[in-house]
Amino acid sequence: MPLTQKNLLGMRGLSREGILAIFMAADENRRLLDTDHKKKDTLKGKTLLNVFYENSTRTRISFELAGKCLGATVVNMTAPSSSVQKGENLVDTAKNLDAMAADVMVIRHHSSGVPHILSRHLKAAVVNAGDGMHEHPTQALLDMYTILKEKGGFDGLRVAILGDIEHSRVARSNLLGLSTMGARVVIAAPATLLPRDIHKMGCEVTCDMKAAVREADVVMTLRIQHERQNVGLFPSVNEYAQQFGLGSELLSYAKPDALVMHPGPINRGVELMSEVADGVQSVILEQVTNGVAIRMGVLELLCGVR
Amino acid sequence: MPLTQKNLLGMRGLSREGILAIFMAADENRRLLDTDHKKKDTLKGKTLLNVFYENSTRTRISFELAGKCLGATVVNMTAPSSSVQKGENLVDTAKNLDAMAADVMVIRHHSSGVPHILSRHLKAAVVNAGDGMHEHPTQALLDMYTILKEKGGFDGLRVAILGDIEHSRVARSNLLGLSTMGARVVIAAPATLLPRDIHKMGCEVTCDMKAAVREADVVMTLRIQHERQNVGLFPSVNEYAQQFGLGSELLSYAKPDALVMHPGPINRGVELMSEVADGVQSVILEQVTNGVAIRMGVLELLCGVR
Amino acid sequence: MPLTQKNLLGMRGLSREGILAIFMAADENRRLLDTDHKKKDTLKGKTLLNVFYENSTRTRISFELAGKCLGATVVNMTAPSSSVQKGENLVDTAKNLDAMAADVMVIRHHSSGVPHILSRHLKAAVVNAGDGMHEHPTQALLDMYTILKEKGGFDGLRVAILGDIEHSRVARSNLLGLSTMGARVVIAAPATLLPRDIHKMGCEVTCDMKAAVREADVVMTLRIQHERQNVGLFPSVNEYAQQFGLGSELLSYAKPDALVMHPGPINRGVELMSEVADGVQSVILEQVTNGVAIRMGVLELLCGVR
């Protein structure tokens, strides 16, 4: 089942069939990653450029490993060493990289919409690896794939997403994807971190963390970024932790077998307490391994090798 | 037809036969890059070190892709992470890298002559990837190869090179190479950016941009570096653009089918106007793709696999 | 002969048999590095992560080349681009990388003990690539392997280690390994750079450089770090050079065929004079090549492919 699109720019517009095609490809690749020989040749002769204008160890490494395990030729470009400093505009830089015979360009940028804009100028397939506060589709796909593997399906599943929704591309992509797959999503955050009109995206919205977590099958917490701290959105990291952090008491409102998820990196003791992060319900490291498998699947589908 | 030299340090001393050997190798590699399977094994088991003391996204990536598409083992070293900081001298660093079983070392350095000096101490073949204001031979080769592909030959061709000649290793290497191949080169720049004695290199020299461009088959503009701005070489970027930038009006003096070239990154609206950069005569992105092919050819020839 | 341990954290605890197994593996790999085809497939399908929290060009490149020449999938992570900046703790970062299907993690960190701590949390094999002032086992192994190749054995060999012993993980690892193999080690340093209780490690200790070098079969000098200069440990770099630097006069006290070694990068004119560094007794560049071979051997043994 091929992906009927050239790029993966977001979960918006990705059909149920497209998502399932990616999950099927991830399945096979996850099995490969669990063996002693994590290498295929399906992308041999394809060129993958990782273009990161924003630092991200785990996402860059995850895509790099995905590409290399598939036999692709992988090259990294990070902003500090780039022509950005020389005053070249973004589209020119991208078109130059494109002209170096790129097949796929994985793009992370601090501004929302950059991968979309660039995709209109490039021959290479574009994968959005996180753009500003907009989307991060492979993160949502790996989250959803992890839920699928643990819960067996999405129908009627109640997924609570807690934390800084306003600034989270992860929340936005998950909300779109989970809705497509038939899960019920409840969003919970301090009022200052809730985007206006978020309820129009088809989810339940609350500022009551307990109400959100109650009867949840999945509880996903989001990273609180320290730089949000002194701009009046919440009083302090400590108070955030007390009122909105996920500890065992708050988790007890969820179903007993609820999954605990986090996109990482975790601020322990802030949005997530260690007893929960390291507890039996946590699938956080499973998310990480699935991330490589999902990205392998996405790359294969975009390159048309499935 | 092999290259009868161990290193590629500059266009100076590179014979017509050597240049043609590189073009033949590039031809085959360009065809490979145009396919869906951009991978050969001609350099499998060879070790390529990219040693960049000066930032250059596009040149580093171009060499990295060239090496990897040929199956070589490629490792990057950039100055900020290097032993430079620990006070080790340049020759010792290079000899150390050389001793790690390197076959080719691609060296970019902000000081003229560094690749030449290092080559005397190394077993590995050295490729000069740009040294100070001196030479940048693979850039000249990719420029010349692009001209050859578009124009079919060099005999009697009139090539105008416009801009900051004084500080340009690209101009110097092109001037040497184009002269070897029988083209007529005219150099045009503000008087403050013309090297004294440049006419001794066998080219026409003028400060009149229109005279330079008139009847040209190729118009190559050079990047103006912002850091030159406040040292009295020209009044301002705006005035430079007005008087010396290549727009459609200035281009109209050239032959109707003249090629527009630029080594990148472009300062749009300064040395090159967007209507020309993106116009039908522009072969700027073609230069980029040919750059990978040329570097593949150079690496193969220096490794003796042709 | 396999290595009966999962990790290589230090020379402490590494048996004579373990060391010999590594030397045997290095032998075969050194022969490979001396050919024109420096590539095997023994680690194909294995994933190697180079995790460097401290800059080190040569060690990182040496491990990267070792892994790539064995066909492994190699990915680098360096601290400045890491999640460290985002406040993630060290163990979480490592567990995340581990979860990306890593087989081996090569870890360099400025704090002593970090690889040991991390190894307790990881599925991947851990190689200590230098931790604070503690150990640097692959450096000691490559030093010892170089001695073995030049001298044929260790029994009764007198090895003088000169310089900043106090801060040197290289000295500590060599002392442990050389003692295991039956060499006699003499440590010589200014009194301020000698660790208290160093004699308990089974070596001769002196502040008299000539006494140390006398009748030595091997003279190993250590790098003096400039940052030690103004904290009262020695008067100045110049005086250090005069009193403790290895020049031809001091070397004349050693056996005529004594080897001169240095782990690099060298401060020429400080701990080592150029006439000795570049003299016939110097095996410094041989150490570098052997370093790649040793690391290839260690990686193969830890991955169980021998």
Side-chain angles (χ1 to χ4, degrees):
Chain A
M1 181 161 40
L3 203 58
T4 59
Q5 55 184 70
K6 187 192 153 208
N7 308 301
L8 180 63
L9 299 175
M11 295 307 293
R12 185 177 295 282
L14 191 59
S15 67
R16 186 181 163 82
E17 289 67 37
I19 292 172
L20 289 174
I22 293 169
F23 288 169
M24 278 180 60
D27 258 345
E28 193 183 307
N29 288 309
R30 174 62 205 253
R31 280 194 295 276
L32 184 77
L33 293 176
D34 288 336
T35 70
D36 260 355
H37 192 91
K38 306 164 185 71
K39 186 94 180 181
K40 296 201 292 186
D41 279 335
T42 49
L43 256 60
K44 191 168 179 186
K46 304 289 183 188
T47 305
L48 167 65
L49 299 186
N50 265 330
V51 183
F52 276 62
Y53 283 93
E54 194 182 60
N55 263 342
S56 173
T57 307
R58 75 190 59 220
T59 305
R60 191 263 300 165
I61 292 181
S62 184
F63 272 108
E64 187 175 351
L65 278 172
K68 288 182 172 176
C69 288
L70 295 170
T73 299
V74 182
V75 168
N76 294 318
M77 190 205 91
T78 50
S81 66
S82 85
S83 305
V84 179
Q85 296 171 310
K86 296 185 182 172
E88 186 179 53
N89 79 46
L90 200 61
V91 173
D92 278 345
T93 301
K95 285 172 82 171
N96 263 278
L97 295 173
D98 194 47
M100 290 189 202
D103 291 293
V104 185
M105 288 176 61
V106 173
I107 300 174
R108 148 97 41 142
H109 200 280
H110 42 82
S111 295
S112 303
V114 163
H116 300 67
I117 294 167
L118 296 182
S119 70
R120 282 182 226 127
H121 295 87
L122 305 180
K123 289 181 311 248
V126 172
V127 180
N128 180 357
D131 62 323
M133 304 176 199
H134 182 230
E135 281 234 37
H136 190 357
T138 57
Q139 178 69 44
L141 286 163
L142 75 89
D143 291 338
M144 291 163 64
Y145 179 71
T146 304
I147 294 172
L148 177 65
K149 291 289 110 180
E150 300 287 334
K151 293 295 179 190
F154 297 97
D155 277 341
L157 225 56
R158 179 174 168 88
V159 180
I161 307 182
L162 315 182
D164 182 0
I165 310 294
E166 170 79 359
H167 303 95
S168 176
R169 51 196 176 207
V170 175
R172 222 167 302 265
S173 287
N174 264 299
L175 181 48
L176 288 161
L178 286 165
S179 302
T180 301
M181 297 310 288
R184 290 175 301 143
V185 181
V186 50
I187 296 286
T192 48
L193 296 174
L194 271 178
R196 191 190 295 257
D197 293 341
I198 181 76
H199 60 278
K200 293 188 184 164
M201 288 181 80
C203 57
E204 196 180 316
V205 182
T206 178
C207 296
D208 179 343
M209 305 307 264
K210 288 176 187 166
V213 170
R214 190 165 291 131
E215 290 302 305
D217 297 284
V218 176
V219 185
M220 192 183 290
T221 49
L222 301 174
R223 179 180 167 70
I224 192 84
Q225 285 168 304
H226 287 278
E227 58 269 32
R228 310 282 179 223
Q229 192 176 180
N230 299 311
V231 293
L233 296 174
F234 53 90
S236 73
V237 161
N238 276 348
E239 289 183 72
Y240 184 90
Q242 277 192 299
Q243 290 185 47
F244 307 105
L246 182 66
S248 50
E249 203 257 326
L250 179 55
L251 184 60
S252 70
Y253 288 83
K255 288 191 185 160
D257 61 349
L259 305 178
V260 171
M261 304 180 74
H262 190 291
I266 303 172
N267 291 306
R268 285 175 177 265
V270 184
E271 75 271 1
L272 189 60
M273 305 307 136
S274 285
E275 79 254 20
V276 175
D278 303 329
V280 291
Q281 292 170 257
S282 168
V283 292
I284 294 174
L285 293 174
E286 204 57 24
Q287 289 173 270
V288 175
T289 311
N290 287 337
V292 182
I294 280 286
R295 283 158 186 140
M296 291 170 81
V298 166
L299 294 173
E300 287 183 321
L301 286 164
L302 293 179
C303 286
V305 299
R306 284 186 166 265
Chain B
M1 178 161 40
L3 202 59
T4 58
Q5 55 184 68
K6 186 193 154 208
N7 308 301
L8 179 64
L9 300 174
M11 296 306 292
R12 184 177 297 282
L14 191 61
S15 68
R16 185 181 165 83
E17 288 68 36
I19 292 171
L20 289 174
I22 294 168
F23 289 169
M24 278 180 60
D27 258 346
E28 195 183 305
N29 289 310
R30 174 61 205 252
R31 279 194 297 274
L32 184 76
L33 292 176
D34 288 337
T35 70
D36 261 354
H37 192 91
K38 306 164 184 75
K39 186 93 180 180
K40 295 201 293 187
D41 279 335
T42 49
L43 256 60
K44 190 168 180 187
K46 304 289 184 188
T47 305
L48 167 65
L49 299 186
N50 264 331
V51 183
F52 276 62
Y53 284 93
E54 194 181 61
N55 263 342
S56 172
T57 306
R58 76 191 59 219
T59 306
R60 191 263 300 166
I61 293 182
S62 185
F63 273 108
E64 187 176 349
L65 277 173
K68 288 182 171 176
C69 288
L70 296 169
T73 299
V74 182
V75 168
N76 294 318
M77 191 205 90
T78 51
S81 66
S82 86
S83 305
V84 179
Q85 295 171 310
K86 296 186 181 169
E88 186 179 52
N89 79 44
L90 201 60
V91 173
D92 278 344
T93 301
K95 285 172 79 171
N96 263 278
L97 295 172
D98 194 46
M100 290 189 203
D103 291 293
V104 184
M105 287 175 62
V106 173
I107 300 173
R108 148 101 36 147
H109 201 280
H110 41 82
S111 295
S112 303
V114 163
H116 300 69
I117 293 168
L118 295 182
S119 70
R120 284 182 225 125
H121 295 88
L122 304 180
K123 290 183 309 251
V126 173
V127 179
N128 180 357
D131 64 321
M133 304 177 199
H134 182 230
E135 282 235 36
H136 190 356
T138 57
Q139 177 70 44
L141 287 164
L142 74 88
D143 291 338
M144 292 162 64
Y145 179 73
T146 304
I147 294 171
L148 177 64
K149 292 289 109 177
E150 299 287 334
K151 293 295 180 189
F154 298 96
D155 277 343
L157 224 56
R158 181 174 168 88
V159 180
I161 306 181
L162 315 182
D164 181 359
I165 309 295
E166 170 77 0
H167 303 98
S168 176
R169 51 197 176 206
V170 176
R172 223 168 302 266
S173 288
N174 263 299
L175 180 48
L176 289 161
L178 286 164
S179 302
T180 301
M181 297 309 287
R184 290 174 303 143
V185 181
V186 50
I187 295 287
T192 49
L193 296 173
L194 270 177
R196 193 189 295 258
D197 293 341
I198 183 76
H199 60 278
K200 292 187 183 163
M201 289 181 78
C203 57
E204 196 180 314
V205 183
T206 177
C207 295
D208 178 344
M209 305 306 264
K210 288 176 186 165
V213 170
R214 189 166 292 131
E215 290 303 306
D217 298 284
V218 177
V219 185
M220 191 183 291
T221 50
L222 300 174
R223 177 179 167 70
I224 192 83
Q225 285 167 302
H226 288 277
E227 59 269 32
R228 311 282 179 223
Q229 193 177 180
N230 298 311
V231 293
L233 295 174
F234 53 90
S236 72
V237 162
N238 277 347
E239 288 184 72
Y240 184 90
Q242 277 193 299
Q243 289 184 47
F244 307 105
L246 182 65
S248 50
E249 203 257 325
L250 179 54
L251 184 60
S252 71
Y253 288 81
K255 288 190 184 161
D257 61 349
L259 306 178
V260 171
M261 303 180 75
H262 190 290
I266 303 171
N267 292 305
R268 286 175 176 263
V270 184
E271 75 272 359
L272 188 61
M273 305 307 137
S274 284
E275 79 254 21
V276 175
D278 304 327
V280 292
Q281 292 169 258
S282 169
V283 292
I284 294 173
L285 292 174
E286 204 57 25
Q287 289 173 269
V288 176
T289 311
N290 287 337
V292 182
I294 280 286
R295 283 160 185 138
M296 290 171 82
V298 167
L299 293 174
E300 286 184 320
L301 286 163
L302 292 180
C303 286
V305 299
R306 287 191 161 262
Chain C
M1 182 160 40
L3 203 56
T4 59
Q5 54 184 71
K6 186 193 153 206
N7 307 302
L8 180 64
L9 299 175
M11 296 307 293
R12 183 177 298 281
L14 191 59
S15 68
R16 186 182 164 83
E17 288 67 36
I19 293 171
L20 290 174
I22 294 169
F23 288 169
M24 278 180 59
D27 258 345
E28 194 182 306
N29 288 311
R30 174 61 204 253
R31 279 194 297 275
L32 184 77
L33 293 175
D34 288 338
T35 70
D36 261 355
H37 191 91
K38 306 165 185 73
K39 186 94 181 181
K40 295 201 293 187
D41 280 333
T42 50
L43 256 61
K44 190 167 180 187
K46 305 289 184 189
T47 305
L48 167 65
L49 299 186
N50 265 329
V51 183
F52 276 63
Y53 283 93
E54 193 183 62
N55 264 342
S56 173
T57 306
R58 75 191 59 220
T59 305
R60 191 263 300 167
I61 293 181
S62 185
F63 272 108
E64 186 175 349
L65 278 172
K68 289 182 172 177
C69 288
L70 296 170
T73 300
V74 183
V75 168
N76 294 318
M77 191 207 90
T78 51
S81 67
S82 86
S83 304
V84 179
Q85 296 171 309
K86 296 186 181 169
E88 187 179 52
N89 79 44
L90 201 60
V91 172
D92 278 345
T93 301
K95 285 172 81 171
N96 262 279
L97 296 172
D98 194 46
M100 290 189 202
D103 291 293
V104 185
M105 288 175 61
V106 173
I107 300 174
R108 148 97 41 143
H109 200 279
H110 42 81
S111 295
S112 303
V114 163
H116 300 67
I117 293 167
L118 296 182
S119 70
R120 283 182 226 127
H121 295 87
L122 304 180
K123 290 181 312 248
V126 172
V127 180
N128 180 356
D131 63 323
M133 304 177 198
H134 182 231
E135 282 234 36
H136 191 355
T138 57
Q139 178 70 44
L141 287 164
L142 75 88
D143 292 338
M144 291 163 64
Y145 179 73
T146 305
I147 294 171
L148 176 64
K149 291 290 109 178
E150 299 287 335
K151 293 296 179 189
F154 296 97
D155 277 342
L157 224 58
R158 181 175 167 88
V159 181
I161 306 182
L162 314 182
D164 182 359
I165 309 294
E166 169 78 0
H167 304 96
S168 176
R169 52 196 175 207
V170 176
R172 223 168 302 265
S173 288
N174 263 299
L175 181 47
L176 288 162
L178 286 165
S179 302
T180 301
M181 298 309 288
R184 289 175 302 144
V185 181
V186 50
I187 295 286
T192 49
L193 295 174
L194 270 178
R196 191 189 295 258
D197 293 341
I198 182 77
H199 60 278
K200 292 188 184 162
M201 289 181 78
C203 58
E204 196 179 313
V205 182
T206 177
C207 295
D208 178 344
M209 304 307 264
K210 287 177 187 166
V213 171
R214 190 164 292 130
E215 291 302 306
D217 298 285
V218 177
V219 186
M220 192 184 290
T221 50
L222 301 174
R223 180 180 166 69
I224 192 83
Q225 286 168 302
H226 288 277
E227 58 270 31
R228 311 283 179 222
Q229 193 176 179
N230 298 312
V231 292
L233 296 174
F234 52 91
S236 73
V237 161
N238 276 347
E239 288 183 73
Y240 184 90
Q242 277 193 299
Q243 290 184 47
F244 306 105
L246 182 67
S248 50
E249 203 257 327
L250 178 55
L251 184 59
S252 72
Y253 288 81
K255 289 192 184 159
D257 62 349
L259 305 178
V260 171
M261 302 179 77
H262 190 289
I266 304 171
N267 291 306
R268 287 176 175 264
V270 184
E271 75 271 1
L272 187 62
M273 305 307 136
S274 284
E275 79 254 20
V276 174
D278 305 328
V280 292
Q281 292 170 256
S282 168
V283 292
I284 293 173
L285 292 173
E286 203 57 25
Q287 289 172 267
V288 175
T289 312
N290 287 337
V292 182
I294 280 285
R295 284 160 185 138
M296 291 171 81
V298 166
L299 293 174
E300 287 183 320
L301 286 163
L302 292 179
C303 287
V305 299
R306 285 189 163 263

